[in-house]
Amino acid sequence: QKEVEQNSGPLSVPEGAIASLNCTYSDRGSQSFFWYRQYSGKSPELIMFIYSNGDKEDGRFTAQLNKASQYVSLLIRDSQPSDSATYLCAVNSDRNAGNMLTFGGGTRLMVKP
Amino acid sequence: DAGITQSPRHKVTETGTPVTLRCHQTENHRYMYWYRQDPGHGLRLIHYSYGVKDTDKGEVSDGYSVSRSKTEDFLLTLESATSSQTSVYFCAISDIGIGTTGYEQYFGPGTRLTVT
């Protein structure tokens, strides 16, 4: 079982809809959770992080964390074609000295005009 | 872009040749990482560094070595390149002092390597 799991997609939503991206993780000791956006041919870009249970909102983006269920999600409201990208979930690991993150495989989002 | 550059940005090389990729940062961040990204595998950690001359292996370190002789540069070397090392290579940085959690990683633009 992979440590961080994401549905690879593609997830297709119409413009203006809410896109819901999900991620599960296996390490109960994980404390910080990150969402990266990666456009085709580009490097990953950090868009949000969350470390407390509940919701965290930033503009059109909302991150949701449920540590009991080991589940983190990203909601994108009023989805735009420019949101079409691959979204990577990442989770911190305290098990060594490297300040490391473990990444999921990513979910490809397609927003159709 | 957190002051991270990678060179070269594109490289084509032949099987069996040595290849060195460079990651350069301008902000004196402590942690530096090398990842490779392949379809179906996502981002996989090759090696990382937690200080000058302090490095350790990641998930997929076989066939790769690294060096960090000064804070700003982290070099990834493929001693004898193989076709399985054709990939996109990303460097990343993090530091306790940047961001809110201290675990945030910021990525360089990437190097596309093709081994023929």
Side-chain angles (χ1 to χ4, degrees), chain B residues 39-94:
Chain B
H41 292 280
L43 279 166
R44 293 182 291 174
L45 182 67
I46 305 171
H47 281 279
Y48 65 95
S49 169
Y50 47 97
V52 173
K53 298 186 179 180
D54 291 323
T55 65
D56 206 346
K57 297 178 180 180
E59 177 188 357
V60 290
S61 59
D62 287 348
Y64 301 95
S65 62
V66 290
S67 66
R68 192 171 179 196
S69 59
K70 45 186 178 178
T71 300
E72 59 265 37
D73 288 325
F74 192 30
L75 304 181
L76 177 70
T77 297
L78 292 66
E79 300 290 348
S80 178
T82 69
S83 59
S84 64
Q85 293 176 312
T86 292
S87 187
V88 179
Y89 291 85
F90 289 105
C91 174
I93 60 91
S94 76

Side-chain angles (χ1 to χ4, degrees), chain A residues 4-65:
Chain A
V4 180
E5 297 257 21
Q6 295 180 256
N7 188 317
S8 61
L11 172 66
S12 182
V13 300
E15 183 175 357
I18 296 175
S20 178
L21 306 164
N22 304 315
C23 173
T24 59
Y25 61 95
S26 60
D27 185 353
R28 286 195 171 272
S30 298
Q31 298 174 343
S32 300
F33 307 85
F34 305 86
W35 283 100
Y36 286 81
R37 177 177 61 200
Q38 186 175 24
Y39 292 114
S40 181
K42 301 296 185 182
S43 58
E45 170 193 11
L46 179 67
I47 55 173
M48 281 201 74
F49 66 87
I50 186 168
Y51 49 82
S52 299
N53 274 327
D55 294 0
K56 178 183 178 182
E57 187 174 319
D58 183 1
R60 296 187 296 112
F61 298 98
T62 298
Q64 300 176 318
L65 175 60

Side-chain angles (χ1 to χ4, degrees), chain B residues 1-13:
Chain B
D1 63 0
I4 308 169
T5 58
Q6 293 185 232
S7 58
R9 295 292 314 279
H10 301 271
K11 186 171 182 65
V12 179
T13 192

